[in-house]
Amino acid sequence: MHKLLIVGAGRGGTVLLQILQKMEGVQVVAVVDRRPDAPGLALARQLGIAVGADYQPYLAQVDVILEATGDPRAYEDILRSKPDTTVLIPGTFTSLIMRLIQEREQLIDKLTDSQREYATMLDSTHDGIIAVNAQGVITLFNKAAERLLGLKAHDVLGTRAEASIPNTRLHIVLRTGEAELNQEQVLPDNTRIITNRVPVRDERGEPVGAIAVFRDITELISLAEELTDLKEVKSMLQAIINCSDEAISVVDEHGNGLLINPAYTRITGLTEKEVIGKPATVDISEGESMHMQVLKTRKPVRGVPMIVGPKRKDVIVNVAPVLVDGVLKGSVGVIHDVSELKHLSEELEKAKRIIRTLEAKYTFAEIIGESEPMRVAIEQAQKAALTPATVLLRGESGTGKELFAHAIHNASERKYNQFIRVNCAAISEALLESELFGYEEGAFTGARRGGKRGLFEEASGGTIFLDEIGELSMSMQAKLLRVLQEREIVRVGATKATPIDVRVIAATHVNLESAIQAGRFREDLYYRLQVFPIYIPPLRQRLEDIKPLAMHLVRKHNQEYGRNVKHIAEEALRILRSYRWPGNVRELENVLGRAMINMQYSETCIEAVHLPPLANSPAEAAGERSGPPRTEQLTLQQLLAETERAHIAAVLEACAGNRTQAARSLGISIRSLYYKMEKFGLQ
């Protein structure tokens, strides 16, 4: 134990006292200073150390005197007064020692702080860390190692690693100096860890210790398996999304695109580059974005019709919000392309219109006639079918003009396109223009929204059959002439012409040459129509065709009436050949139909008695009507119908087939006349 005397209790002496007091093997015997208020004296008293103003009484009690006054004279006085065995340390050296001691204390404090930080870091890491020294004794065992191995640091520190830690290999790494990296190991509690064990070397490269760093990978393996499962699910969902014919789009909570599938691009025409990261409104051509509505309301929408993309596809949209634990993350939209459905609906409507307008259903094989006039007409029609020229069918009512029109169309290159039949006399003047040429939206009160295609446009690529063209007004004749000349139409209310590709077949029973002389028909239109005229002879000019025609009509009526008539008696044929047939084939069909109605179901041959009365002039017809009808085989309803039919036929004959004049004579509208003519087979 060294006994020390401190002379000088100022700031330096006070610091020196504080330092020496903490040191082992050192005893401060006294502190001396001439100033009674020196701070070192007060500290010495607190520590129970003797104090005084004179150092002489203490010289014999100490081994070392520390001069801390900083006065050279005080040093000289003490040096002369001290025993030879006592060591005197001057003030300058004392200051140096004090500085060194202070630095040591600071270094110790820093080292302590560093060790504390080091220990905190080691204990806060998720990885377990164990270190051994050159003797294999454990010097470091952090909190993670405690948790993973189930051991306490205070139980294993200072012990040999192989004795305290099961399955450790630190002693082997220490002995061999070889690192063991990424080693997987299973602990006794089935925890799976992965370890790196490396030696610690000195400046000469010799192993002086070893460190093991390890972590629990049980959870990582589980997460990896879950991640693999998620990847499989993602791949499956991606395959399902990509294979879907429905377009799918996903946006985030701000309405910016996140994902689309190939069907989306196919339907909308927009690529990922044009959609991903862009606002949800980018694909809208017409309508409101359902994504934005769903993000705003957080409620799904279904079955919303929209038009999307640069292709302006008609679609039906279903959109639902994506909510995760009640938090809105975005929305998913499924887009169903209905443009094809719409197209098919239009095609169906088109087909219905074609059916309603009597698409061509007859061919030349169904035209019965072996007489010379009829063979000439058929040959001309067959030639006309091979050309795109306008055809004018002329002949009396009931000779089969419409049948020829059907046959010409079906034998032409246009047979797979539309055949539109228009009865020019059956449509009122006010409606005829809009029906033929169509109209624009708002063209007149009651006009359909979006306008309407006319019959010429409907027939484009095919054939339009203008029946009873001689009944057209002069104004309509002028408009029709423009169509034939320019091959274009102008819709009602439109300013722009629409080109058409239509083959025109016209028909009339009117003597057009007489109508031109009377100023009722345009001469320029006449020449436009008269490109390929075909005259169809009346039945009275081809009486040799009556038998084959009659048998053909009988077979037709057998199917309609459920009869089994096979023959026509010669007497009945003689009567049929002697009649003038003002109604031509249509009248023949009507007469045979009435004859079959008069027959018993078991009868198979039409006899003369079955035929209704035939008259060759209106006067004869009136005389027949005044005579007693064959009422024994007719019901009252049949008798009234027959009387009405005969009267209409007589008036038509008297008016030379002019239906407008006949309707006026009968006191009925032209529509009613056409209805009754169709009902009684007089067309």
Side-chain angles (χ1 to χ4, degrees), residues 185-222:
Q185 188 175 346
V186 181
L187 300 179
D189 63 351
N190 293 322
T191 299
R192 300 170 70 90
I193 62 172
I194 189 165
T195 307
N196 288 331
R197 306 182 188 96
V198 294
V200 178
R201 301 180 185 276
D202 61 12
E203 64 276 6
R204 297 189 305 275
E206 297 296 327
V208 293
I211 295 178
V213 180
F214 53 96
R215 66 170 51 190
D216 183 2
I217 61 171
T218 306
E219 185 176 348
L220 286 177
I221 292 174
S222 176

Side-chain angles (χ1 to χ4, degrees), residues 110-352:
K110 288 182 179 180
L111 180 60
T112 301
D113 292 341
S114 296
Q115 286 179 332
R116 188 179 300 110
E117 292 174 359
Y118 175 66
T120 302
M121 287 190 294
L122 291 177
D123 286 338
S124 63
T125 182
H126 187 69
D127 294 341
I129 302 175
I130 303 174
V132 297
N133 60 17
Q135 290 73 41
V137 175
I138 298 172
T139 58
L140 174 62
F141 198 86
N142 71 347
K143 295 291 185 183
E146 287 184 332
R147 184 182 73 255
L148 292 172
L149 299 179
L151 301 173
K152 295 297 182 182
H154 60 77
D155 293 332
V156 297
L157 288 173
T159 65
R160 295 184 66 83
E162 64 267 29
S164 301
I165 302 173
N167 301 323
T168 186
R169 291 180 57 83
L170 279 174
H171 59 291
I172 298 173
V173 172
L174 185 63
R175 185 177 69 248
T176 63
E178 298 292 334
E180 297 180 353
L181 303 176
N182 297 320
Q183 300 297 307
E184 190 173 335
Q185 188 175 346
V186 181
L187 300 179
D189 63 351
N190 293 322
T191 299
R192 300 170 70 90
I193 62 172
I194 189 165
T195 307
N196 288 331
R197 306 182 188 96
V198 294
V200 178
R201 301 180 185 276
D202 61 12
E203 64 276 6
R204 297 189 305 275
E206 297 296 327
V208 293
I211 295 178
V213 180
F214 53 96
R215 66 170 51 190
D216 183 2
I217 61 171
T218 306
E219 185 176 348
L220 286 177
I221 292 174
S222 176
L223 289 174
E225 291 173 350
E226 290 181 12
L227 182 60
T228 301
D229 292 341
L230 285 174
K231 286 182 177 178
E232 291 178 358
V233 172
K234 180 183 176 183
S235 298
M236 186 180 300
L237 288 175
Q238 193 70 44
I240 292 171
I241 290 171
N242 289 342
C243 289
S244 173
D245 283 336
E246 310 289 345
I248 298 173
S249 70
V250 183
V251 302
D252 62 20
E253 66 272 23
H254 306 296
N256 296 321
L258 289 178
L259 178 148
I260 61 172
N261 67 341
Y264 179 93
T265 299
R266 175 174 53 78
I267 291 174
T268 66
L270 298 172
T271 64
E272 287 189 352
K273 184 178 180 181
E274 296 171 302
V275 175
I276 303 303
K278 303 296 193 305
T281 55
V282 72
D283 60 358
I284 305 299
S285 293
E286 190 174 311
E288 177 189 356
S289 170
M290 290 300 102
H291 275 304
M292 302 309 295
Q293 179 176 324
V294 167
L295 292 175
K296 183 179 179 180
T297 63
R298 298 166 68 103
K299 294 180 180 180
V301 296
R302 294 184 61 82
V304 179
M306 297 181 66
I307 297 177
V308 298
K311 297 181 180 179
R312 293 184 61 82
K313 285 292 187 74
D314 290 284
V315 298
I316 296 294
V317 178
N318 297 331
V319 182
V322 177
L323 298 170
V324 180
D325 296 329
V327 178
L328 182 67
K329 295 294 184 180
S331 62
V332 178
V334 178
I335 302 171
H336 180 63
D337 183 6
V338 295
S339 57
E340 185 65 22
L341 264 176
K342 187 175 181 181
H343 175 69
L344 290 174
S345 296
E346 290 174 352
E347 288 296 318
L348 179 59
E349 184 61 30
K350 183 177 178 182
K352 288 179 179 177

Side-chain angles (χ1 to χ4, degrees), residues 489-607:
I489 59 98
V490 178
R491 289 185 179 185
V492 177
T495 57
K496 182 180 177 182
T498 302
I500 56 169
D501 173 24
V502 178
R503 197 296 177 59
V504 176
I505 300 176
T508 183
H509 69 281
V510 174
N511 187 319
L512 295 182
E513 292 78 8
S514 299
I516 292 172
Q517 293 295 325
R520 290 187 285 106
F521 201 83
R522 295 178 64 104
E523 187 174 6
D524 46 6
L525 177 59
Y526 170 79
Y527 289 116
R528 280 288 176 184
L529 295 173
Q530 190 81 350
V531 176
F532 205 125
I534 298 174
Y535 175 72
I536 304 174
L539 190 53
R540 62 181 173 275
Q541 294 180 5
R542 54 187 187 108
L543 296 177
E544 59 266 43
D545 291 334
I546 285 183
K547 183 174 181 179
L549 269 174
M551 291 308 301
H552 173 75
L553 295 172
V554 164
R555 287 190 292 270
K556 175 183 174 183
H557 286 315
N558 276 337
Q559 294 177 350
E560 294 177 358
Y561 298 164
R563 298 297 183 94
N564 189 30
V565 178
K566 297 179 179 179
H567 308 286
I568 301 176
E570 284 300 323
E571 178 61 21
L573 286 172
R574 186 191 64 77
I575 294 173
L576 294 177
R577 290 192 184 102
S578 64
Y579 183 54
R580 287 181 53 83
W581 298 109
N584 293 292
V585 179
R586 189 177 292 118
E587 186 179 5
L588 175 61
E589 182 177 6
N590 180 267
V591 166
L592 291 172
R594 291 162 63 192
M596 292 177 70
I597 292 173
N598 291 334
M599 295 173 65
Q600 300 296 325
Y601 275 94
S602 59
E603 293 180 298
T604 60
C605 181
I606 297 178
E607 302 289 347

Side-chain angles (χ1 to χ4, degrees), residues 98 120 187 308 333 409 423 433 665:
M98 288 171 56
T120 302
L187 300 179
V308 298
H409 173 79
N423 190 324
E433 181 179 1
S665 299

